[in-house]
Amino acid sequence: MDYKATLNLPKTAFPMKANLPKSEPEMLAWWESFGIYKRLRQAAASRPLWILHDGPPYANGNIHLGTMLNKVLKDVIVKSRSMLGFNAVYVPGWDCHGLPIEHQVDKELGLDKPGVDVRRAMDPVEKRRRCREYALRFIDIQRGEFKRLGVFGDWENPYVTMEPAYQAVIAREFGRFVGRGLVSKGLKPVHWCMYCKTALAQAEVEYEDQKTPSVWVKFPLTSVPVELQAALAGRPAFAVIWTTTPWTLPANLAIAVHPTQEYVAVDVGGEVYVVARALLNDFLALFATPAHRVLASVAGERLAGHAYRHPWIARDGKIASAEFVGMDQGTGLVHIAPGHGEEDYELGKSLGLRVYNPVDDDGKFVAEVEGFGGLTVWDANPKIIERLKSVGMLIAQRPLDHTYPHCWRCKNPTLFRATEQWFIELDQKGFRAKALEAIKRDVEWIPPWGEDRIYNMVAHRSEWVISRQRVWGVPIVAFYCTACGELLLEERIVEHVSGIFRSGRGADEWFARDARDLLPPGTRCAKCGDQGFRKETDILDVWFDSGCSHAAVLEARSDLRWPAEMYIEGSDQHRGWFQSSLLESIGTRGSPPYKSVITHGFFMDAEGRKMSKSLGNVITLEELLPKYGAEILRLWVTSEDYTQDIRVSMEILDRLADAYRRIRNTFRFLLGNLGDFDPARDRQSYARIDEVDRWILDRLARLIGRVRGAYEEYEFHTVFHSVHNFCAVDLSALYLDVIKDRLYTSLPDDPRRRAAQTTCYDIFAALTRLVAPILTFTSEEAWRHLPGTRSESVHFERFPDAPREWLDDTLQRDWDRLLEVRREVAKALETARTAKLIGSALEAAVRIPRAPEDLPALLQTKRDLLPTLFLVSGVDLERSTSRSSVTYESQDIPGLVIGVDRARGEKC
């Protein structure tokens, strides 16, 4: 007889092979056909609003793995919040202004040359038009790439920082800072990129290892304290400084010493040097013959006020005391150039020194610096050292490996140079204190270390440099009287110009109009009464632009609200968007724009190294999508703790592809056995299902609780590992194996078969919903095959709630013990298989003649279930004097003895 024809074998159209690179675009087209995001919003309109505010990616270039990681995390959060019962609106955005785009346009126009002032090299309106076209092109490219990843959002109505309405808000927000008295302009040293030709905020500076020359330089003293005069007996003495930036020496105007440290006049080889006693041994190590004699000592405060001569320039300077002088390296005397250092600037200001900066925007010395005019500071470095040698003022030079500030855009070293810049002052009107209080009091930081990171950055930030010397951005709305040069900076005028931006062509109006056409009629200079004005040429820092997104987007759109429930970005944004948004919002509204902030890590290679072309370990999306599709990449993002750096390699992705196949095959097995199941007709009540069905529903209920909790806490790796483990262990290795006979060999309408199908239906309906935020494509594909009435899309569903009756602590406790016995029976069967007694487990009859105290009663109670659970033909619990063919004594359950014999009968 052909028994196969009598079996209820699985039947489903859900394919075993996913073919994701082909099937995903087809799914995207289907979603597009009925506007899934719009439908989601309609379905959720009555639910509580929940907003993840998108940190705008820069509209330049294609997306990469890091961008993908960020966007997929946002998508998983938004989809899971929707399925948790919220109206989770997601409005994507793009950051459009700034240097990278303008720099690219400059290159295309041939303006990227030394000495070219990019603000005046061509019609700014035309240049801005080209920048806008460039940004629009990449917005369209990136939008398609994000949609390809299965990310849902309001892609037809994103926010874009170069839109007139957004630019008007940026100007208005600047005006609010003006009105609060927090904006100033001054000549101060800032990080300057000579390659990008613009100032940089501290947040735009990265510290990289660099080898630079360090020098010990003699400064002839022209006066000394009385304590040293007698010891010197008329001999010349030199103050010795140490610096790693010889190029700053032409700007030296003072020397700093620590007021309470002891300084010595030491004779080495016939010359007298003044250095800190704490660093004397380090200093002597510079000499081939360190023989020396200390002539006298004096406190640092006694050196203050005495004079010296510059090593080669006809310029005198004074020694000053300063608490910042350290004793960890150098000589204890610090060369001070107020135009090239923050502490130098502050000390110089207190001493009434001029802020002298002889370096131009291209990083070159101006003509007045004799011998070095026209040289870049890097080219001048070795020549300055040669000059020191030639005039006998160089004691020693040594190469030094240390960290040095670099521009985070072009990756070149920066200069610290004094330029006229605009600042938002953090130490005025209690601004910094309010920001620090809000960080501690008003925001949940995930993970918690994010709080300390941003707190320390805000606490130690001197000010916010908000000006940039470019064209592509929103102008700083300020004017200057053409007659007397007086600055005109008032909130009402900024508000007036903001209105022009909003009703016209945005910030292009600033560049297209004369000053008189931007100012309110009748505007006069408060100082001289003249009506002639010129416009400020600087634009606002791009971080100010994106930092205003809470005002331009959350407050402006009717489908959103302020503040957002969440911001999520990479760990670099504590100095970037997290911070600029916080400062902008605190400065203008007194409260942060977000309730919680999640920080994610970055991707690394399998060895934990950053990916770089030089290491040859870069993996691109162009390589991965055709091989794995988006689904495996989404699984990768959620399979690890994303708050740490995440490793990626082809091997890692292959392992995840295997895990994906296990989940997919579980879906297929469940669907295959639901082919003739109609839940409206065939569903069995909980009271009528088998005990093994009740056990798996107990396991499912606990899985639902664990997964929902993990989504609520944004612990997506817990979701993945819990679901994968449930599919691989609870289902494939146990439950689905146990119920095969019931499914395949019972009559189609047998109540016990229908009970197993009811359980499979509940499992499938729950699993597809639980993984839908992560396996966006596969859950949708599988959901289409679910029998009975269902939503058009799985994404219209909510996460399942487990019926209370499914949870059974007594059942769980009994089954935990039964499964321990099952594992031991499996070992006994394997012993019998090794002895050639049996092949399949169904060829075995098992006896359990002895068991520890708690087991006999449990096994007797479940005796009818045991053959099914152990997958054997029979289980005998009676004590017997006859020996089994194979006897196995458990090591893990002391006292448990299992006998195995070959079962009677023949295989069908």
Side-chain angles (χ1 to χ4, degrees), residues 594-616:
Y594 39 65
K595 297 176 183 178
S596 62
V597 172
I598 292 182
T599 304
H600 66 74
F602 299 102
F603 62 93
M604 317 286 275
D605 71 8
E607 282 73 49
R609 300 174 301 174
K610 287 185 178 180
M611 291 194 175
S612 68
K613 291 179 180 178
S614 61
L615 291 175

Side-chain angles (χ1 to χ4, degrees), residues 173-198:
E173 294 298 298
F174 169 73
R176 290 183 175 182
F177 276 101
V178 170
R180 285 159 174 75
L182 295 172
V183 177
S184 66
K185 186 180 185 182
L187 182 67
K188 292 179 72 173
V190 294
H191 288 284
W192 180 269
C193 180
M194 58 186 268
Y195 305 93
C196 299
K197 298 185 184 66
T198 190

